[in-house]
Amino acid sequence: MSDERKTWSSRIGFVLASAGAAVGLGAIWKFPYMAGTNGGSAFLFPYILMTFTVGLALLIAEIALGRTGRGGIVTAYRNLAGRFWVPMGYLGVLTGFLVLCFYSAIGGWTLAYFAEAVVGAGLVTDQSQLGAHFTEITSNPVLAMGFQWLFLLINGLIVALGVTKGIERVSKVLMPLLFVMMIVIIVRGLMLPGAMEGVDFLFKFDTEAFTWGALLQAMGFTFFSLCVGCGCMLTYGSYLPRETNLVNGCAWIAFLGVISSLLGGLMIMPSVFAFGLDPSAGPGLTFITMPAVFAQIPFGQIFAVMFYLCIVVAAITSSVSMIEIIVAFLIDEHKVSRPVAAVCSTVALAIVGALPCLSFGQLADVKFFGSKTFFDVFDFFTSNISLPIGGLVILYLAGWKCWDIIKADIAHGGTLSEASLKLLRLMMIGFSPVVVLIVLISGLI
């Protein structure tokens, strides 16, 4: 093991860092809308079931490949499966890069709203005014790119500090802070008159609203919420010490991912319903609807600061795992130092990331395939094509080609029974690939 191939200093550090990769913006602005409009608990049950079956199998497969392969996705694929699979590793690096290009634009918006909350700006009740303000932030190149670069700079500094002093140390502080702040906001929201209507919206069992399309969304959100398929978890797995129980750690990551989604829903919907606002605003709930909520409650500025700090923390802990894919690739394959790799990655992301960032302003009229902006193209390619393909490759390598190599690592000295190993492998080679294929085909259609 090279000096650069550091390991997590503790299991809790690995779990919190990996959970941070999974707990991204989707848990806060995507899950509440998806659950509420797709049958409530009728959507929730399949999501949880698939998370602890299909999703957990894929998570274990990806982390096991990383720990046994002792490298980022390109290096691990070469070490375990041979040079033929190296292009699939490059696809993983490209996926992480492209995701962070448009994700960093959203991360910049969260920083902008957090800064406004700190100075007490932007808290008004007129949603049309809030919508116009959101458009102003996203279309102004100076504001949009300035905050995007700041977001990328924060990520670059964290990964430059290293695995234990940077990613792990930050995760140990930010993840507990995130959950504490979410709970505080939830308690305050539940105290509002009419808040229980929001809880009912999230968790009602509405079988009529749960359709085949809702099931497909639950499948897709399972992989999205666990951050699997592009090599984030594989890279984090490469830093996992041999003595750590891999399966136990993965179960905790899946559990925290589900909990964060539930908390995200409870953090938003009760307040939205308490003030009679639109619960179907989707991503707009974060940037257009919630400021109107904070403008109407006592000490609203304090809760606004806390809310947008939650969003910033969730965005950073998730995006750090994506930039680490690129940094690990440069370190393992090109033997550059970590600080140099972090600088090169950050600069490249800032340059290419300008395309999706400006898709809401100067480049809004640049369209592909009829109506897709740069932002849409980056999102579509990664979400609908490269991530599912990456998941299928991981499942094939772990379940078939490399099973004999990683089996002992997963078993952890007999901690996992032979029957459990057989069931896990069956998930990897049977049920999980079928679900990923369904997600891939439905996304393309």
mmCIF file of all heavy atoms in Angstrom, residues 186-204 266 268-275:
data_model
loop_
_atom_site.group_PDB
_atom_site.id
_atom_site.type_symbol
_atom_site.label_atom_id
_atom_site.label_comp_id
_atom_site.label_asym_id
_atom_site.label_seq_id
_atom_site.Cartn_x
_atom_site.Cartn_y
_atom_site.Cartn_z
ATOM 1 N N ILE A 186 -37.482 20.230 12.253
ATOM 2 C CA ILE A 186 -38.670 19.371 12.246
ATOM 3 C C ILE A 186 -39.569 19.678 13.445
ATOM 4 O O ILE A 186 -40.785 19.828 13.309
ATOM 5 C CB ILE A 186 -38.269 17.883 12.237
ATOM 6 C CG1 ILE A 186 -37.678 17.509 10.874
ATOM 7 C CG2 ILE A 186 -39.477 16.985 12.547
ATOM 8 C CD1 ILE A 186 -37.027 16.144 10.857
ATOM 9 N N VAL A 187 -38.964 19.757 14.625
ATOM 10 C CA VAL A 187 -39.733 20.038 15.840
ATOM 11 C C VAL A 187 -40.449 21.375 15.715
ATOM 12 O O VAL A 187 -41.634 21.499 16.056
ATOM 13 C CB VAL A 187 -38.804 20.020 17.074
ATOM 14 C CG1 VAL A 187 -39.552 20.530 18.303
ATOM 15 C CG2 VAL A 187 -38.269 18.623 17.320
ATOM 16 N N ARG A 188 -39.728 22.386 15.196
ATOM 17 C CA ARG A 188 -40.361 23.706 15.035
ATOM 18 C C ARG A 188 -41.506 23.642 14.028
ATOM 19 O O ARG A 188 -42.569 24.219 14.240
ATOM 20 C CB ARG A 188 -39.312 24.733 14.564
ATOM 21 C CG ARG A 188 -39.904 26.151 14.373
ATOM 22 C CD ARG A 188 -40.357 26.698 15.698
ATOM 23 N NE ARG A 188 -41.028 27.999 15.563
ATOM 24 C CZ ARG A 188 -42.335 28.163 15.416
ATOM 25 N NH1 ARG A 188 -43.133 27.087 15.326
ATOM 26 N NH2 ARG A 188 -42.866 29.372 15.367
ATOM 27 N N GLY A 189 -41.322 22.916 12.950
ATOM 28 C CA GLY A 189 -42.364 22.808 11.934
ATOM 29 C C GLY A 189 -43.598 22.085 12.432
ATOM 30 O O GLY A 189 -44.729 22.472 12.121
ATOM 31 N N LEU A 190 -43.389 21.041 13.216
ATOM 32 C CA LEU A 190 -44.520 20.257 13.727
ATOM 33 C C LEU A 190 -45.344 21.030 14.751
ATOM 34 O O LEU A 190 -46.484 20.652 15.034
ATOM 35 C CB LEU A 190 -44.019 18.951 14.343
ATOM 36 C CG LEU A 190 -43.451 17.916 13.353
ATOM 37 C CD1 LEU A 190 -42.871 16.724 14.100
ATOM 38 C CD2 LEU A 190 -44.536 17.458 12.373
ATOM 39 N N MET A 191 -44.779 22.112 15.299
ATOM 40 C CA MET A 191 -45.510 22.928 16.272
ATOM 41 C C MET A 191 -46.480 23.893 15.607
ATOM 42 O O MET A 191 -47.306 24.505 16.278
ATOM 43 C CB MET A 191 -44.509 23.708 17.138
ATOM 44 C CG MET A 191 -43.644 22.831 18.029
ATOM 45 S SD MET A 191 -42.284 23.763 18.805
ATOM 46 C CE MET A 191 -43.214 24.959 19.780
ATOM 47 N N LEU A 192 -46.386 24.030 14.273
ATOM 48 C CA LEU A 192 -47.246 24.979 13.566
ATOM 49 C C LEU A 192 -48.646 24.408 13.385
ATOM 50 O O LEU A 192 -48.809 23.209 13.144
ATOM 51 C CB LEU A 192 -46.645 25.302 12.189
ATOM 52 C CG LEU A 192 -45.275 25.985 12.189
ATOM 53 C CD1 LEU A 192 -44.706 26.026 10.774
ATOM 54 C CD2 LEU A 192 -45.395 27.407 12.754
ATOM 55 N N PRO A 193 -49.689 25.223 13.462
ATOM 56 C CA PRO A 193 -51.056 24.747 13.217
ATOM 57 C C PRO A 193 -51.198 24.217 11.784
ATOM 58 O O PRO A 193 -50.757 24.857 10.833
ATOM 59 C CB PRO A 193 -51.903 26.016 13.418
ATOM 60 C CG PRO A 193 -51.059 26.927 14.241
ATOM 61 C CD PRO A 193 -49.654 26.648 13.865
ATOM 62 N N GLY A 194 -51.783 23.049 11.656
ATOM 63 C CA GLY A 194 -51.967 22.450 10.335
ATOM 64 C C GLY A 194 -50.792 21.647 9.833
ATOM 65 O O GLY A 194 -50.823 21.123 8.712
ATOM 66 N N ALA A 195 -49.754 21.534 10.647
ATOM 67 C CA ALA A 195 -48.549 20.830 10.212
ATOM 68 C C ALA A 195 -48.788 19.347 9.968
ATOM 69 O O ALA A 195 -48.149 18.743 9.104
ATOM 70 C CB ALA A 195 -47.436 21.008 11.253
ATOM 71 N N MET A 196 -49.725 18.744 10.710
ATOM 72 C CA MET A 196 -49.961 17.308 10.566
ATOM 73 C C MET A 196 -50.518 16.953 9.193
ATOM 74 O O MET A 196 -50.432 15.804 8.772
ATOM 75 C CB MET A 196 -50.904 16.821 11.673
ATOM 76 C CG MET A 196 -50.298 16.912 13.074
ATOM 77 S SD MET A 196 -48.630 16.181 13.195
ATOM 78 C CE MET A 196 -48.997 14.464 12.848
ATOM 79 N N GLU A 197 -51.080 17.927 8.495
ATOM 80 C CA GLU A 197 -51.516 17.663 7.119
ATOM 81 C C GLU A 197 -50.313 17.335 6.239
ATOM 82 O O GLU A 197 -50.399 16.519 5.316
ATOM 83 C CB GLU A 197 -52.254 18.874 6.551
ATOM 84 C CG GLU A 197 -53.607 19.137 7.206
ATOM 85 C CD GLU A 197 -54.311 20.312 6.551
ATOM 86 O OE1 GLU A 197 -54.116 20.520 5.336
ATOM 87 O OE2 GLU A 197 -55.052 21.019 7.256
ATOM 88 N N GLY A 198 -49.192 17.963 6.516
ATOM 89 C CA GLY A 198 -47.967 17.671 5.779
ATOM 90 C C GLY A 198 -47.448 16.280 6.082
ATOM 91 O O GLY A 198 -46.936 15.585 5.196
ATOM 92 N N VAL A 199 -47.560 15.866 7.340
ATOM 93 C CA VAL A 199 -47.154 14.507 7.714
ATOM 94 C C VAL A 199 -48.043 13.487 7.013
ATOM 95 O O VAL A 199 -47.564 12.463 6.498
ATOM 96 C CB VAL A 199 -47.229 14.327 9.247
ATOM 97 C CG1 VAL A 199 -46.873 12.889 9.634
ATOM 98 C CG2 VAL A 199 -46.296 15.311 9.949
ATOM 99 N N ASP A 200 -49.340 13.784 6.973
ATOM 100 C CA ASP A 200 -50.274 12.891 6.289
ATOM 101 C C ASP A 200 -49.966 12.813 4.796
ATOM 102 O O ASP A 200 -50.044 11.750 4.181
ATOM 103 C CB ASP A 200 -51.705 13.386 6.503
ATOM 104 C CG ASP A 200 -52.734 12.465 5.843
ATOM 105 O OD1 ASP A 200 -52.806 11.291 6.238
ATOM 106 O OD2 ASP A 200 -53.435 12.925 4.933
ATOM 107 N N PHE A 201 -49.598 13.961 4.200
ATOM 108 C CA PHE A 201 -49.242 13.996 2.782
ATOM 109 C C PHE A 201 -48.057 13.085 2.497
ATOM 110 O O PHE A 201 -48.018 12.383 1.486
ATOM 111 C CB PHE A 201 -48.905 15.438 2.387
ATOM 112 C CG PHE A 201 -48.445 15.596 0.956
ATOM 113 C CD1 PHE A 201 -49.355 15.598 -0.089
ATOM 114 C CD2 PHE A 201 -47.098 15.774 0.669
ATOM 115 C CE1 PHE A 201 -48.929 15.769 -1.401
ATOM 116 C CE2 PHE A 201 -46.665 15.942 -0.641
ATOM 117 C CZ PHE A 201 -47.590 15.943 -1.678
ATOM 118 N N LEU A 202 -47.094 13.065 3.418
ATOM 119 C CA LEU A 202 -45.889 12.247 3.231
ATOM 120 C C LEU A 202 -46.158 10.762 3.434
ATOM 121 O O LEU A 202 -45.631 9.919 2.696
ATOM 122 C CB LEU A 202 -44.807 12.694 4.213
ATOM 123 C CG LEU A 202 -43.906 13.855 3.809
ATOM 124 C CD1 LEU A 202 -43.007 14.232 4.973
ATOM 125 C CD2 LEU A 202 -43.068 13.500 2.584
ATOM 126 N N PHE A 203 -46.965 10.423 4.436
ATOM 127 C CA PHE A 203 -47.027 9.034 4.876
ATOM 128 C C PHE A 203 -48.389 8.363 4.692
ATOM 129 O O PHE A 203 -48.555 7.204 5.087
ATOM 130 C CB PHE A 203 -46.610 8.943 6.347
ATOM 131 C CG PHE A 203 -45.219 9.432 6.595
ATOM 132 C CD1 PHE A 203 -44.988 10.541 7.397
ATOM 133 C CD2 PHE A 203 -44.134 8.792 6.010
ATOM 134 C CE1 PHE A 203 -43.701 10.995 7.627
ATOM 135 C CE2 PHE A 203 -42.838 9.247 6.237
ATOM 136 C CZ PHE A 203 -42.617 10.350 7.037
ATOM 137 N N LYS A 204 -49.341 9.060 4.112
ATOM 138 C CA LYS A 204 -50.626 8.394 3.856
ATOM 139 C C LYS A 204 -50.405 7.205 2.921
ATOM 140 O O LYS A 204 -49.528 7.226 2.057
ATOM 141 C CB LYS A 204 -51.616 9.382 3.228
ATOM 142 C CG LYS A 204 -51.213 9.850 1.827
ATOM 143 C CD LYS A 204 -52.185 10.849 1.277
ATOM 144 C CE LYS A 204 -51.805 11.283 -0.143
ATOM 145 N NZ LYS A 204 -50.473 11.893 -0.231
ATOM 146 N N LEU A 266 -39.878 15.407 6.554
ATOM 147 C CA LEU A 266 -40.488 16.004 7.747
ATOM 148 C C LEU A 266 -39.994 17.427 7.990
ATOM 149 O O LEU A 266 -40.665 18.213 8.668
ATOM 150 C CB LEU A 266 -40.177 15.129 8.968
ATOM 151 C CG LEU A 266 -40.906 13.784 9.011
ATOM 152 C CD1 LEU A 266 -40.356 12.923 10.141
ATOM 153 C CD2 LEU A 266 -42.407 13.990 9.179
ATOM 154 N N ILE A 268 -39.615 19.665 5.654
ATOM 155 C CA ILE A 268 -40.217 20.588 4.694
ATOM 156 C C ILE A 268 -41.737 20.553 4.698
ATOM 157 O O ILE A 268 -42.409 21.593 4.831
ATOM 158 C CB ILE A 268 -39.676 20.300 3.274
ATOM 159 C CG1 ILE A 268 -38.204 20.711 3.185
ATOM 160 C CG2 ILE A 268 -40.495 21.036 2.217
ATOM 161 C CD1 ILE A 268 -37.570 20.471 1.839
ATOM 162 N N MET A 269 -42.334 19.368 4.536
ATOM 163 C CA MET A 269 -43.766 19.295 4.252
ATOM 164 C C MET A 269 -44.680 19.816 5.360
ATOM 165 O O MET A 269 -45.680 20.479 5.066
ATOM 166 C CB MET A 269 -44.142 17.856 3.889
ATOM 167 C CG MET A 269 -43.684 17.448 2.502
ATOM 168 S SD MET A 269 -44.300 18.602 1.250
ATOM 169 C CE MET A 269 -43.512 17.974 -0.216
ATOM 170 N N PRO A 270 -44.429 19.553 6.645
ATOM 171 C CA PRO A 270 -45.327 20.109 7.664
ATOM 172 C C PRO A 270 -45.423 21.633 7.605
ATOM 173 O O PRO A 270 -46.516 22.206 7.704
ATOM 174 C CB PRO A 270 -44.694 19.631 8.978
ATOM 175 C CG PRO A 270 -44.005 18.360 8.610
ATOM 176 C CD PRO A 270 -43.454 18.613 7.244
ATOM 177 N N SER A 271 -44.284 22.309 7.401
ATOM 178 C CA SER A 271 -44.299 23.770 7.320
ATOM 179 C C SER A 271 -45.012 24.250 6.069
ATOM 180 O O SER A 271 -45.740 25.255 6.095
ATOM 181 C CB SER A 271 -42.856 24.305 7.331
ATOM 182 O OG SER A 271 -42.205 23.967 8.537
ATOM 183 N N VAL A 272 -44.811 23.554 4.964
ATOM 184 C CA VAL A 272 -45.457 23.932 3.702
ATOM 185 C C VAL A 272 -46.979 23.876 3.846
ATOM 186 O O VAL A 272 -47.699 24.801 3.440
ATOM 187 C CB VAL A 272 -44.988 23.014 2.556
ATOM 188 C CG1 VAL A 272 -45.853 23.207 1.317
ATOM 189 C CG2 VAL A 272 -43.521 23.291 2.220
ATOM 190 N N PHE A 273 -47.473 22.807 4.445
ATOM 191 C CA PHE A 273 -48.924 22.668 4.617
ATOM 192 C C PHE A 273 -49.461 23.618 5.674
ATOM 193 O O PHE A 273 -50.603 24.080 5.577
ATOM 194 C CB PHE A 273 -49.270 21.223 4.977
ATOM 195 C CG PHE A 273 -49.472 20.340 3.778
ATOM 196 C CD1 PHE A 273 -48.383 19.792 3.129
ATOM 197 C CD2 PHE A 273 -50.727 20.083 3.275
ATOM 198 C CE1 PHE A 273 -48.540 18.992 2.015
ATOM 199 C CE2 PHE A 273 -50.915 19.289 2.154
ATOM 200 C CZ PHE A 273 -49.812 18.731 1.514
ATOM 201 N N ALA A 274 -48.666 23.914 6.683
ATOM 202 C CA ALA A 274 -49.121 24.822 7.738
ATOM 203 C C ALA A 274 -49.459 26.202 7.184
ATOM 204 O O ALA A 274 -50.355 26.890 7.687
ATOM 205 C CB ALA A 274 -48.053 24.933 8.827
ATOM 206 N N PHE A 275 -48.772 26.608 6.126
ATOM 207 C CA PHE A 275 -49.024 27.930 5.544
ATOM 208 C C PHE A 275 -49.751 27.851 4.210
ATOM 209 O O PHE A 275 -49.824 28.835 3.471
ATOM 210 C CB PHE A 275 -47.697 28.683 5.377
ATOM 211 C CG PHE A 275 -47.096 29.116 6.684
ATOM 212 C CD1 PHE A 275 -46.065 28.396 7.262
ATOM 213 C CD2 PHE A 275 -47.588 30.224 7.360
ATOM 214 C CE1 PHE A 275 -45.518 28.777 8.477
ATOM 215 C CE2 PHE A 275 -47.054 30.616 8.574
ATOM 216 C CZ PHE A 275 -46.017 29.893 9.142
#
